[in-house]
Amino acid sequence: MTDPPRHFLICYSTKNYICPVIMVNRNDGYFFYVAGINYRKSDTAVRGHFALNAEMIARVLAKAKDKRLSEVLVLSTCNRTEIYGLAPSPEVLIELLCSETQGDMAAFLETAYIKKNNSAVDHLYHVAAGLDSQILGDYEIIGQLKTALKLSTAHQTTGPFLNRLFSSALQASKEIKNSTALSGGTVSVSFAAVQMIRNIYADLSDKKILLLGTGKIGSNTCKNLVDYTNSQNVTLMNRSREKAESLALRYGLQTALLENLNEEVQHADIIVVATNATHPIISKNQFSDSTEKLIIDLSVPLNVAEDVSACPGIRLIRVDELSRMKDDTLSRRKAEIPKAKALIEAHMSNFKTWNERRKHAPMLNHLKTTLHHLHEQPSFSHHNTCSKTAKLRINKVLSDTARELNEHDRKGCQFISAINQFMN
């Protein structure tokens, strides 16, 4: 057999080759982290200091790109604020997050959890499944995760790792919802609010309800009000008038302009606040008499001022109080936890297998290019082999090498072995 050109043997058989293969992965030296706070150790007031709206998250993601962090995602809900990403340390991610929050890094760390690699991956699957929700199995988290992923994608701060991970976690959540009763029945923050209203008022026929905010939680609350109270005396109010009118048209309700907020607050018997303001929009000075009112604040940060609860006749309920509601539905959901965790393990295993194989991709791509170059050399003994046959030979070598790498990760030796296999 004619020897291949010497420059191939020098380039791919020396120790200098092995390091570049390992270092090709752009995330080498980085780890996957999640850092966050949630309802377990932080009350609504603390969580409010670290809540971010879409504009604030966009600024965090822009700063991540400036720091050359390729994959970062921020999740902010009424129950949690979390940042996921590939970074050299969790402090880098936390500093990014807190650069746009009312609270600072020191305050964040007082109640924060930080998880790394497999632990961070496991955490995301549990969050997506509703196992880590304030109300077990709460399905609203799915929409919130999809929104967070969409925002990161739009700002180009997702990549192969986060895209695959979040896709897998959402698939696991979907399977859990379809094949277990973890999300069975109707229990969520928005439903808990309606259930609380029904528990307090036996008859809602003469009660005027004002719903502030028609975002995801507000829309779900609206639907539950219509479905479970049969009340049509519901007025919707939103910063975007068109959004409120569209929802009102769907359910046969009425709307009011935001500039008439004080008047509507005065006339309402029940006020549900599901807005996304960065400061309270309901305050003590809006209540001039002692008329009895129920106010439910589903917002984080709090959108109803603390001093409102001191007003005569006012009963103020926060989201944390709603989460403590217990019923048969939640008991049945708890029994489904082992099934849900078993499904999570299966999906996590598949993801970990993908991730392990992914680290070999740079070496295999380099090997593929090398084999094509070898085939094109005039001195190569198989130079007259047709392109189709050469492609089949190359694919077989790549397949065999990939299998060997999965069993024994010895890139340098296996690279040389692959070349020898192709030449013989």
Side-chain angles (χ1 to χ4, degrees):
M1 181 183 74
T2 304
D3 289 337
R6 183 175 295 276
H7 67 272
F8 278 102
L9 294 178
I10 294 173
C11 182
Y12 295 106
S13 63
T14 64
K15 290 183 179 180
N16 291 334
Y17 168 73
I18 298 174
C19 288
V21 171
I22 296 174
M23 297 298 290
V24 163
N25 188 343
R26 66 180 180 180
N27 296 320
D28 187 71
Y30 281 33
F31 302 95
F32 177 54
Y33 293 103
V34 58
I37 60 170
N38 63 19
Y39 65 93
R40 296 184 189 277
K41 292 185 178 180
S42 306
D43 60 22
T44 51
V46 172
R47 296 200 304 275
H49 292 157
F50 297 97
L52 296 97
N53 58 32
E55 291 78 11
M56 297 161 74
I57 292 174
R59 291 195 291 270
V60 170
L61 298 178
K63 292 176 183 178
K65 291 178 70 176
D66 291 341
K67 290 182 175 291
R68 299 185 182 278
L69 297 177
S70 59
E71 303 201 39
V72 175
L73 181 146
V74 176
L75 174 67
S76 184
T77 75
C78 62
N79 293 329
R80 68 184 69 246
T81 295
E82 298 177 334
I83 184 167
Y84 295 82
L86 294 165
S89 71
E91 288 77 16
V92 171
L93 296 174
I94 295 170
E95 184 180 7
L96 266 177
L97 183 73
C98 294
S99 69
E100 290 293 333
T101 60
Q102 182 181 345
D104 59 23
M105 189 169 174
F108 183 87
L109 289 171
E110 287 181 7
T111 57
Y113 44 87
I114 299 171
K115 300 178 186 293
K116 178 180 178 182
N117 291 343
N118 287 347
S119 179
V121 169
D122 180 80
H123 175 77
L124 174 61
Y125 278 92
H126 280 70
V127 169
L131 288 172
D132 197 55
S133 295
Q134 198 166 21
I135 295 179
L136 180 65
D138 191 345
Y139 56 81
E140 287 172 349
I141 189 62
I142 301 303
Q144 293 161 340
L145 281 170
K146 289 180 178 178
T147 298
L149 182 60
K150 184 177 180 181
L151 191 57
S152 287
T153 301
H155 287 84
Q156 300 178 328
T157 59
T158 57
F161 184 86
L162 280 184
N163 283 330
R164 183 75 176 225
L165 175 59
F166 272 72
S167 175
S168 177
L170 290 170
Q171 287 173 7
S173 178
K174 183 178 180 180
E175 185 175 353
I176 288 168
K177 186 173 182 179
N178 291 339
S179 59
T180 76
L182 185 70
S183 295
T186 309
V187 176
S188 65
V189 170
S190 57
F191 177 75
V194 176
Q195 191 173 10
M196 177 67 76
I197 292 171
R198 294 174 67 198
N199 289 343
I200 295 173
Y201 298 101
D203 183 10
L204 288 168
S205 60
D206 63 340
K207 303 300 179 184
K208 181 176 175 58
I209 303 173
L210 175 63
L211 174 60
L212 300 175
T214 55
K216 185 66 176 178
I217 292 179
S219 295
N220 288 337
T221 303
C222 180
K223 182 180 185 302
N224 287 324
L225 281 169
V226 173
D227 289 347
Y228 296 101
T229 69
N230 295 317
S231 175
Q232 296 296 308
N233 196 8
V234 179
T235 299
L236 307 181
M237 186 177 288
N238 192 66
R239 183 174 58 180
S240 167
R241 180 179 177 181
E242 293 76 12
K243 197 170 184 179
E245 289 177 343
S246 175
L247 190 64
L249 182 63
R250 186 188 312 171
Y251 295 111
L253 307 175
Q254 53 269 3
T255 64
L257 298 177
L258 196 58
E259 49 261 39
N260 296 329
L261 176 61
N262 289 348
E263 181 182 347
E264 292 295 329
V265 165
Q266 287 289 326
H267 293 159
D269 300 295
I270 302 166
I271 303 169
V272 181
V273 184
T275 48
N276 192 30
T278 57
H279 58 278
I281 61 172
I282 301 295
S283 58
K284 184 178 181 180
N285 59 20
Q286 290 170 300
F287 303 94
S288 57
D289 55 37
S290 58
T291 304
E292 289 190 0
K293 296 182 188 294
L294 170 65
I295 303 176
I296 300 178
D297 189 0
L298 302 180
S299 307
V300 176
L302 301 175
N303 283 180
V304 178
E306 292 284 355
D307 59 4
V308 169
S309 60
C311 295
I314 300 294
R315 179 174 179 181
L316 176 60
I317 296 173
R318 306 289 195 190
V319 69
D320 285 353
E321 184 176 345
L322 290 175
S323 71
R324 291 190 286 269
M325 294 177 62
K326 304 294 183 183
D327 61 12
D328 292 338
T329 297
L330 289 177
S331 297
R332 290 194 297 271
R333 288 185 176 190
K334 287 180 179 179
E336 297 296 293
I337 291 177
K339 296 179 187 176
K341 287 187 173 182
L343 290 171
I344 285 174
E345 284 298 321
H347 282 268
M348 278 184 60
S349 177
N350 289 337
F351 172 75
K352 289 176 183 177
T353 298
W354 170 84
N355 194 45
E356 282 296 310
R357 291 176 178 174
R358 177 173 167 260
K359 71 181 181 182
H360 302 311
M363 183 269 204
L364 292 171
N365 287 335
H366 206 159
L367 175 60
K368 183 178 181 180
T369 301
T370 302
L371 295 180
H372 278 292
H373 286 169
L374 274 171
H375 174 70
E376 293 168 0
Q377 295 302 310
S379 56
F380 184 49
S381 63
H382 298 288
H383 71 276
N384 59 349
T385 304
C386 70
S387 298
K388 183 176 181 181
T389 302
K391 184 177 180 180
L392 291 173
R393 285 171 54 78
I394 291 172
N395 287 343
K396 184 179 187 310
V397 172
L398 291 172
S399 177
D400 292 345
T401 305
R403 185 177 63 254
E404 288 294 322
L405 284 169
N406 289 332
E407 295 175 1
H408 308 286
D409 189 358
R410 298 191 297 266
K411 290 185 175 68
C413 296
Q414 287 160 341
F415 192 98
I416 297 169
S417 177
I419 292 176
N420 289 331
Q421 177 186 348
F422 182 69
M423 291 191 302
N424 293 327

